Amino acid sequence: MNHLPKQSTAPAPRGRPLDWVQQWHWYERTIPGPRRVNPTPLADHCHIPPPATVADVHAALAALTARHEELRTTVDPLRPVQYVHRADWAPLPIDQLDVPVADTATLEAATAALAALPIDPEREPPWRARVLLEAGTPRAVLLTAHHVVIDGWGLAALLSQLHDRLRGEEVPAGSSVRPLDMATARPSERARAAEREWLTRLAANPAGVLAPFGGRADGAGRHRLQYRSTEAYGDLDRVARRHRVSAETAVLAALAHEVATRTGEHRFLASVVVANRARAALRGSLGVRALTVPVQIELRPGAAFGEVAASVAAACATAYRHGRYHPAELVAAQARMDRRRGVVAVPTIEYNCYSWPRGYLPPEQYTPPEGPAGWIRSAPDEPCDTLYADLALDAGVFTLDVTVGDQLLDAGQAAALPLRLCALLRALADGADRPVPVRPLAPAAPGWWRAPRGWVRLSAVEEVLRGHPGVLEATVAPERGTTGAGGGRRLVAYARTAPGTSAEDLHRHLLDHLGEVPDLMTPDRYVLTPEGGEGPRATDAGSTRAPSRPPATDSERALAAAVAAVRTPDGPGPGAVDMDRCLADHGVTLVAVPRLLALLHHRGLTGIASDELAGTASLGHLAAALEPLPTRAPRGGDTPP
C-alpha cells in the first residue's frame, strides 16, 4: 500500500488535494480489511437489455470514462492528492465470464467475486467491470469501484447511465461536477467551530449504552445478518407519510425507540451517513458526496412515536449542518480529548441508508420471501462495539443489514432485532402510539455500574489495573459520600502498589489497554497505598503534568523519528517526542499516517496498523508492537521492499 507510483511516459495528470469527505476513505484504505467500517470496494450489477452486445458495453463504458473524471482518477499513496488522467490513459478494466445461467444467485455470487479482486487506486482506474455471458449472449454487467473516488450513490448512477446507453437512450448532459473542482478549503474558523461542536456532542453522551443490556460478557466476535420483507416496506411507507418524515428517518427513529426501550437510556449518540445529493447537478455525479455526522438523539420518556420521529429528524438536520468538518484533523482532536479525559463516547448506532436510485434492476430479481434471509456470517473475528444498521429500499422490499458485536447483542438478540423493528413499524402503521418507556425492559447485567457519563464493568477495569507490574491489588468503586455531575457518584480506583508507582502510571496503563472508562478520567481519581509506605495518597487534581519521556529503545527511537519527520518540518527532533503521549498529541493527523507507516517500512519495521495510530494508545505502547519485516529472497525481477 505504501509505495511510490511507477514512472509513466504519459502526460502528467492534473492534481489537486482530495476533498475533506474523500480524505477519510483515502485513509481508510490503509486499515486492515476486517477492521474497516465501510465496504471497499463497492459492487453492484445491471442487466444488459437486448439486443446490446459486448461491443456496445465497451463503447458505453468508454464514453462514460470520457465524461466522468472519477473513472480516470488515481490517488497519491502518501499524500491526500488525486490525479485526473486523459480518457485514454489506460485500457478499460473490463473482462468477461461465461456462466451456465445468469440467474439471481449467479449474479450475486459473481458480483461478490468481482468485489473481492483488489483495486489499486494509486496506479489503476478505480473501477472494474465484468460482462456475464450465457450461451454466448451478454446478460449482465458487474461493476465494482473503490470508495476513495466513487461512493455508493455514484456507483448506482454509473450503472443507471450505462443501462440507459445500452437501451439507446441519451444520458442527459446536465452540469458536470468534477472532483478536482470540489477540493476547496473551508474557512478555518468555521472548521474549528464544527470540530468543537462535534467533540462537545461526543463528550456529552454516555458510553457503553447497549453493552449492559445484552450480549455476552466474554464476547469476542460479531454477527452479520440480513433481513428482507415486502410487508415491512408498506408499513414503513405508511409510518413515514403519517409522521411526515422520510422513510430513512422513520427507521432511525424506530432504532432509537428500540435502544431506549431496551436500555432505559434516553440520550445517546448515533453516527448517520447522509448523502449530499439534493442538488440536481449532484444526482448524476459519481464522486464521494456522503458525510457521516454525529446525531445526538434525545427522547422524552413517555413520548409518542410522532414526537420521536420529529426529534430524530431535527437532530439529523442539526448534525448535518454542523458536521462539515475536516476528518483528518477532527479524529486527531478527538483522540487528544479521549486520552486526556480517559473516556470515549462510542456511538451506540452507526446508520447508513442505501437510498440511491436502482431502476436498472428488474423488480422480479429482488422479491424475496418474507422473513430473514439468513445469516451472512457469525464467527469470532474482530469484535465491534457499535451496532451497525444499513437500510435499503429496492423495488418494494425493505432490507436491513445488521452487524453487531456479541458483547452487545448475542446471536438470538441480533436475529430478533429486525423482527422487533418490523413489528414496531406494523403497530405504528396500524395506528398505535407506542410511547417511549420510562424504564428499561431488560435489567442491566451483573457487575455493571451507571456512572454519570456512561456504563462501566468494574471487574474489567480492576483486571486491567492488576495487570500493571507495579500493582499488587486494585479495586474500583464509586467515590464514598460524594456525587458527581448529574447526581451520580464518580469512580475511584483504590490500588495497593509497589514503591515508585504513580497515579499517572496507572492512568496511562488503563488508557493503553482499555481506553473507555467513563468518570475514571484523570489521575486524581486513583488512590494509591504504597507497600510499606505511609498510607493512601492521591495525585492532586491541580498538579502539573508528568514530565516528558523520551524514546529509550531502538523501536521507540524509530517511531519517534518517523513522528518527527511527518509533523511540522521546523518542529523539534525525535528526542523531543514524548513516548507517553498518543500520536494526535504531537499534532499528527490522519493524512500523515500513510507516510509515517512508509517511513517505518523503510526502516524495516512493521506491526502497527493505521487505525491504531489514530487511537489513544501511547507511542511507547505502539513501539512495543513493532517487529522486523519478514525477509524474502528476490525472485525473478522482484526486489525486496
Side-chain angles (χ1 to χ4, degrees), residues 46-126:
C46 74
H47 290 259
I48 298 177
T53 65
V54 173
D56 293 330
V57 174
H58 280 251
L61 286 171
L64 291 170
T65 298
R67 174 179 179 178
H68 292 289
E69 286 187 349
E70 291 88 351
L71 297 180
R72 43 193 168 89
T73 294
T74 57
V75 299
D76 191 281
L78 303 181
R79 298 177 301 147
V81 175
Q82 57 188 342
Y83 304 100
V84 172
H85 302 261
R86 291 171 30 179
D88 59 350
W89 77 284
L92 293 177
I94 310 173
D95 60 20
Q96 57 191 50
L97 177 68
D98 290 295
V99 296
V101 58
D103 57 9
T104 300
T106 300
L107 285 173
E108 292 182 351
T111 302
L114 182 64
L117 296 178
I119 292 178
D120 184 356
E122 301 162 9
R123 293 188 176 98
E124 305 168 352

Side-chain angles (χ1 to χ4, degrees), residues 66-207:
R67 174 179 179 178
H68 292 289
E69 286 187 349
E70 291 88 351
L71 297 180
R72 43 193 168 89
T73 294
T74 57
V75 299
D76 191 281
L78 303 181
R79 298 177 301 147
V81 175
Q82 57 188 342
Y83 304 100
V84 172
H85 302 261
R86 291 171 30 179
D88 59 350
W89 77 284
L92 293 177
I94 310 173
D95 60 20
Q96 57 191 50
L97 177 68
D98 290 295
V99 296
V101 58
D103 57 9
T104 300
T106 300
L107 285 173
E108 292 182 351
T111 302
L114 182 64
L117 296 178
I119 292 178
D120 184 356
E122 301 162 9
R123 293 188 176 98
E124 305 168 352
W127 60 281
R128 292 179 186 272
R130 175 166 291 169
V131 179
L132 291 192
L133 302 173
E134 179 185 308
T137 302
R139 295 297 188 187
V141 179
L142 319 178
L143 276 175
T144 181
H146 202 286
H147 212 323
V148 73
V149 180
I150 300 171
D151 65 11
W153 184 295
L155 181 62
L158 174 60
L159 280 163
S160 182
Q161 293 173 26
L162 172 63
H163 192 255
D164 288 344
R165 283 184 177 274
L166 295 177
R167 293 173 58 191
E169 299 178 5
E170 187 61 34
V171 178
S175 56
S176 179
V177 179
R178 303 189 179 279
L180 299 194
D181 297 332
M182 299 298 292
T184 54
R186 299 184 62 236
S188 59
E189 64 276 6
R190 292 183 61 190
R192 298 293 85 74
E195 289 169 10
R196 289 192 296 270
E197 170 81 13
W198 204 92
L199 293 170
T200 299
R201 289 178 183 275
L202 281 180
N205 286 272

